[in-house]
Amino acid sequence: QQQVKQSPQSLIVQKGGISIINCAYENTAFDYFPWYQQFPGKGPALLIAIRPDVSEKKEGRFTISFNKSAKQFSLHIMDSQPGDSATYFCAATTSNTGKLIFGQGTTLQVKP
Amino acid sequence: DTAVSQTPKYLVTQMGNDKSIKCEQNLGHDTMYWYKQDSKKFLKIMFSYNNKELIINETVPNRFSPKSPDKAHLNLHINSLELGDSAVYFCASSQRALNLEETQYFGPGTRLLVL
């Protein structure tokens, strides 16, 4: 059972465009939702995260939108750059487990 | 200095062999993790140790045995390797366990290929 579903699997965006990656979860006990960025040959690294009592969080060109009633959240990358080309993972966790449950990942390619 | 390091970076071995992967973190963190990333890039937690104590043990074949000699090191030993064990194994660490907003810092990964 996939607890966190992520889409699309892959995404191609032109430089300067907006990249949007969506995630949906089932477990209402999840109470923290980080996004990780992974470059080829590297380990994932935390990009941005949100708690469900907030509907939006912005850090630079990266924004998380959160819809608690729909159990969905998404990552928006504004003014996408070729250097943003990477695999992005949404994740979810609960305070009493410490376990990160990852989505399937989205491979983003930003074309110059 | 690398925060979370793993050795080896690449590991090619025959089916049935036993191998170990080592992980060290110099961040002073209390908690360390092992993740498996399959060929489709799906990441799944395997184990977690907090200050040398096992706190997360997912449904993993008992051929996989983690060992934490101290809180800065977490090793993964795999017995009787199978073709399906081929994957990238990531070690990670965080300051504390069971703290909701703890950032997990990942190592560079060990690419295991079982022939």
Side-chain angles (χ1 to χ4, degrees):
Chain A
Q1 181 188 10
Q2 182 63 39
Q3 293 192 59
V4 179
K5 295 183 179 178
Q6 183 171 346
S7 62
Q9 187 175 356
S10 62
L11 183 60
I12 299 174
V13 173
Q14 292 292 331
K15 178 182 175 183
I18 302 173
S19 304
I20 302 174
I21 303 170
N22 301 299
C23 285
Y25 64 96
E26 298 170 1
N27 186 350
T28 55
F30 287 142
D31 49 11
Y32 188 62
F33 301 87
W35 285 86
Y36 279 76
Q37 179 188 55
Q38 183 180 25
F39 292 105
K42 305 291 186 184
L46 180 67
L47 184 64
I48 186 173
I50 197 167
R51 296 197 63 157
D53 52 352
V54 175
S55 61
E56 185 175 284
K57 183 173 182 180
K58 184 176 180 179
E59 289 183 4
R61 296 184 294 108
F62 300 89
T63 300
I64 302 177
S65 298
F66 192 89
N67 185 332
K68 188 173 181 178
S69 61
K71 294 187 286 186
Q72 295 175 348
F73 58 110
S74 59
L75 176 69
H76 295 232
I77 307 174
M78 311 300 287
D79 187 26
S80 298
Q81 299 296 313
D84 297 330
S85 297
T87 300
Y88 292 81
F89 293 92
C90 61
T93 188
T94 58
S95 54
N96 64 343
T97 68
K99 285 196 295 187
L100 275 176
I101 307 299
F102 284 92
Q104 298 96 318
T106 296
T107 300
L108 170 66
Q109 182 184 359
V110 181
K111 291 195 168 183
Chain B
D1 279 346
T2 304
V4 182
S5 59
Q6 296 179 228
T7 54
K9 189 171 182 179
Y10 298 97
L11 187 51
V12 181
T13 187
Q14 298 289 327
M15 229 171 24
N17 284 352
D18 302 339
K19 290 293 179 184
S20 291
I21 306 171
K22 296 185 176 183
C23 178
E24 177 180 2
Q25 55 95 3
N26 63 5
L27 297 168
H29 288 168
D30 286 343
T31 310
M32 297 183 73
Y33 311 80
W34 278 113
Y35 286 86
K36 179 180 180 180
Q37 186 171 47
D38 64 22
S39 59
K40 296 182 179 179
K41 295 189 179 178
F42 183 61
L43 264 171
K44 191 174 191 308
I45 190 166
M46 300 172 70
F47 303 103
S48 177
Y49 271 75
N50 183 57
N51 205 7
K52 301 193 296 176
E53 180 184 347
L54 182 66
I55 57 170
I56 295 175
N57 186 356
E58 290 296 282
T59 308
V60 175
N62 58 14
R63 299 181 294 104
F64 290 79
S65 53
K67 281 191 172 56
S68 182
D70 56 62
K71 71 175 190 178
H73 296 85
L74 180 61
N75 303 323
L76 183 65
H77 188 75
I78 315 170
N79 288 324
S80 304
L81 278 155
E82 300 178 356
L83 295 176
D85 298 332
S86 296
V88 182
Y89 292 85
F90 286 101
C91 176
S93 74
S94 64
Q95 180 67 53
R96 291 164 293 182
L98 305 182
N99 188 15
L100 189 61
E101 298 189 21
E102 283 294 330
T103 298
Q104 293 187 22
Y105 295 85
F106 284 75
T110 294
R111 285 139 190 87
L112 171 65
L113 178 61
V114 182
L115 302 175

